[in-house]
Amino acid sequence: MNTYLAASLSFSLPQELVVIALCALTAYISHEALAVFNDGTRPFLLDFIRGETTRSATTAVSFGLSAGFIFGLGAPMALSTGVLNPWLLFLPTDVLGILAMRKWLAPLLGAAWGAVVVFGLGGVNSQAHKLPVDFLTALQEMSNPILFLFTLFPVLAITRQFGRLRGAIVGVVELALVVMTMKLWPDVFAGSLAMAVGVLMLLGFAAARDIGQRRAERAAAKAAGTGTGGADTKAAGGADEGADDPLESLFSASAARLRRHLPLFMVLGGGVCLLAQMHVFGGGEATSFLIAKGQYAEAAQIDFYRVFGFVPLILTTSLASGAYGIAGFTLVYPIGYLLPNPYLAVLVGALVFAVEVLLLSRLGKLLGSFPSVRDSSEHLRNGITETLGLAILFGSLMAANTMGAGLGILIVGGLYLLNEAMGRPVVRMAAAPAAVVVGGVVLNLLYWAHLFTPIKG
């Protein structure tokens, strides 16, 4: 059992006020359809912004896409680690903000949710730890699978994009680096250096492919006799085409819409960065465990690598819909973890969001110039999802074994398989932790019915 986690969910007054204020702000921004956290909800906001769909229909979409993550992943992760996460804070404010029929109601609903989180979850946490079967402490068994399997996501991305040989080489390199780190720097998270090298190798392979393709195209054009004038003519024609391109027009209009609300986004960026700086918030599954352990530099490193996997998705959905991400490109997470004081966090977070919003159009064009790098992002994102999916499932079964040995595995594994057979009413990533919580409740009921004896230790 991992005993290093201080899963108390207790907050100081400044921390409570920041959470409540940030939830109010994010709910208001969601109400205005300026930003949402759920990447799946963002594309649906274009029709809502245009008035082609109703607020209630958009709310139903947002809730359907978010509920499993809120109750199956966000709440269990927060209760087991004592660290807040974006699924628990920002997915509910997505829903509440879109649901609110009035501007003034949205921040009130968001603030109310923030109050529930900071004042209510602590009581739930303390009472759950007093149960005969402490399923929240058992959930801490997920930490090692999540932290170590997460290290392999660059290997999966490289294998998928550049073949088995390169993937195998990077896998061996990462394994050697993990062993070396454990031997030489035992106080450092063992996967830190391995992940850094893996991501750098992936980006290096992608950049080399794009540069090579460009050189080949230039050489082919030169061999075909197309001179500079022809290239200029082609470029001019392409520019004229781009001016009439409806997609380009949509992207420009969306970027302009977001720039008009730049001050509000700067306040949002400062608030999210401040929350990260307070070290009561983790931007991801692995990050939450590292923050709980006090390893802020390692947490910053992991969330920084995640940025490469999600920037293209956030960028394209933002330009297509006119709605940004609540956490932007999520750069404010790792920056916030490392900053020394809250005043600097607010300032830097505001500046980071300002730069992101102002450069959206240019970043979109730049991304289009490097197709292999763009594809690498998708492979990284898929690798992150696959490694975390396996880690969470494996860790949840370890938690089930801690709670109730074979009976615990039967209940938790059975609930997970039932969810699969029913077409995944709970998303796969959240299904296993949710099954641990339900399994813990069932085991406690069996204990009170004198049908189960909790495992000692």
Side-chain angles (χ1 to χ4, degrees):
M1 177 69 66
N2 297 303
T3 58
Y4 54 79
L5 296 175
S8 60
L9 275 175
S10 60
F11 307 97
S12 66
L13 179 60
Q15 292 167 347
E16 292 169 349
L17 293 176
V18 168
V19 171
I20 292 172
L22 189 57
C23 285
L25 176 62
T26 54
Y28 173 76
I29 290 175
S30 172
H31 173 84
E32 294 293 289
L34 290 172
V36 289
F37 181 77
N38 194 320
D39 296 320
T41 302
R42 199 171 301 119
F44 292 94
L45 290 183
L46 180 61
D47 289 339
F48 177 68
I49 292 169
R50 290 173 168 175
E52 297 173 1
T53 187
T54 64
R55 184 172 292 276
S56 59
T58 309
T59 302
V61 169
S62 179
F63 180 80
L65 292 172
S66 302
F69 287 102
I70 297 170
F71 301 109
L73 187 61
M77 286 292 293
L79 289 169
S80 62
T81 64
V83 176
L84 302 176
N85 57 68
W87 308 287
L88 181 64
L89 292 184
F90 302 145
L91 288 181
T93 58
D94 280 1
V95 178
L96 294 172
I98 299 173
L99 174 67
M101 301 301 294
R102 298 287 184 271
K103 286 185 179 182
W104 58 266
L105 182 58
L108 286 181
L109 292 176
W113 175 252
V116 168
V117 170
V118 295
F119 298 123
L121 285 186
V124 173
N125 181 279
S126 61
Q127 292 301 314
H129 283 302
K130 297 176 183 178
L131 293 172
V133 179
D134 184 356
F135 54 87
L136 294 184
T137 300
L139 273 169
Q140 296 174 11
E141 292 287 352
M142 291 195 299
S143 61
N144 277 339
I146 287 177
L147 290 172
F148 282 90
L149 285 176
F150 187 76
T151 305
L152 295 174
F153 75 88
V155 178
L156 298 186
I158 289 171
T159 303
R160 292 246 166 78
Q161 188 172 7
F162 298 103
R164 288 175 285 185
L165 178 59
R166 292 187 183 182
I169 292 172
V170 176
V172 172
V173 170
E174 284 208 3
L175 177 60
L177 290 172
V178 168
V179 173
M180 183 183 73
T181 304
M182 294 177 74
K183 184 69 175 177
L184 299 179
W185 306 290
D187 294 332
V188 176
F189 169 52
S192 299
L193 183 59
M195 275 189 288
V197 172
V199 171
L200 288 174
M201 291 180 75
L202 172 64
L203 295 177
F205 291 151
R209 175 179 286 182
D210 284 334
I211 292 172
Q213 288 178 345
R214 284 189 175 186
R215 288 175 177 172
E217 289 171 0
R218 285 197 295 266
K222 187 175 181 180
T226 57
T228 306
D232 290 341
T233 304
K234 184 177 179 180
D240 291 339
E241 280 184 23
D244 298 328
D245 184 359
L247 189 61
E248 180 70 22
S249 177
L250 172 64
F251 280 13
S252 298
S254 296
R257 178 177 188 263
L258 296 177
R259 286 196 298 270
R260 286 196 298 271
H261 297 88
L262 184 61
L264 187 60
F265 282 116
M266 292 177 69
V267 174
L268 175 62
V272 176
C273 194
L274 174 60
L275 183 64
Q277 192 276 334
M278 289 180 162
H279 299 151
V280 295
F281 173 89
E285 301 88 346
T287 313
S288 294
F289 286 106
L290 289 172
I291 293 291
K293 197 176 179 181
Q295 295 182 322
Y296 307 128
E298 288 86 347
Q301 183 181 356
I302 286 180
D303 272 354
F304 178 72
Y305 298 147
R306 288 173 68 103
V307 170
F308 294 104
F310 287 88
V311 162
L313 174 64
I314 296 169
L315 179 63
T316 53
T317 55
S318 297
L319 289 173
S321 67
Y324 199 39
I326 286 294
F329 293 150
T330 70
L331 274 170
V332 288
Y333 293 164
I335 291 172
Y337 303 148
L338 298 177
L339 289 177
N341 65 71
Y343 304 105
L344 189 59
V346 172
L347 176 61
V348 173
L351 291 176
V352 168
F353 258 50
V355 172
E356 290 179 4
V357 172
L358 291 173
L359 294 182
L360 276 179
S361 293
R362 293 184 181 181
L363 290 174
K365 294 176 181 178
L366 180 64
L367 190 65
S369 302
F370 293 92
S372 295
V373 174
R374 184 183 63 239
D375 292 344
S376 294
S377 171
E378 182 176 350
H379 289 297
L380 273 177
R381 191 168 62 251
N382 291 336
I384 289 171
T385 301
E386 289 180 33
T387 53
L388 287 177
L390 175 61
I392 289 173
L393 174 59
F394 185 64
S396 296
L397 291 176
M398 290 172 62
N401 184 66
T402 298
M403 292 190 304
L407 180 59
I409 292 175
L410 173 65
I411 296 173
V412 172
L415 288 171
Y416 179 86
L417 292 173
L418 181 62
N419 183 70
E420 290 285 308
M422 294 172 62
R424 298 187 199 128
V426 179
V427 291
R428 179 177 283 172
M429 187 79 75
V436 173
V437 174
V438 175
V441 172
V442 171
L443 290 174
N444 278 292
L445 293 175
L446 292 175
Y447 167 79
W448 288 320
H450 304 288
L451 296 175
F452 171 73
T453 302
I455 296 174
K456 302 295 181 182

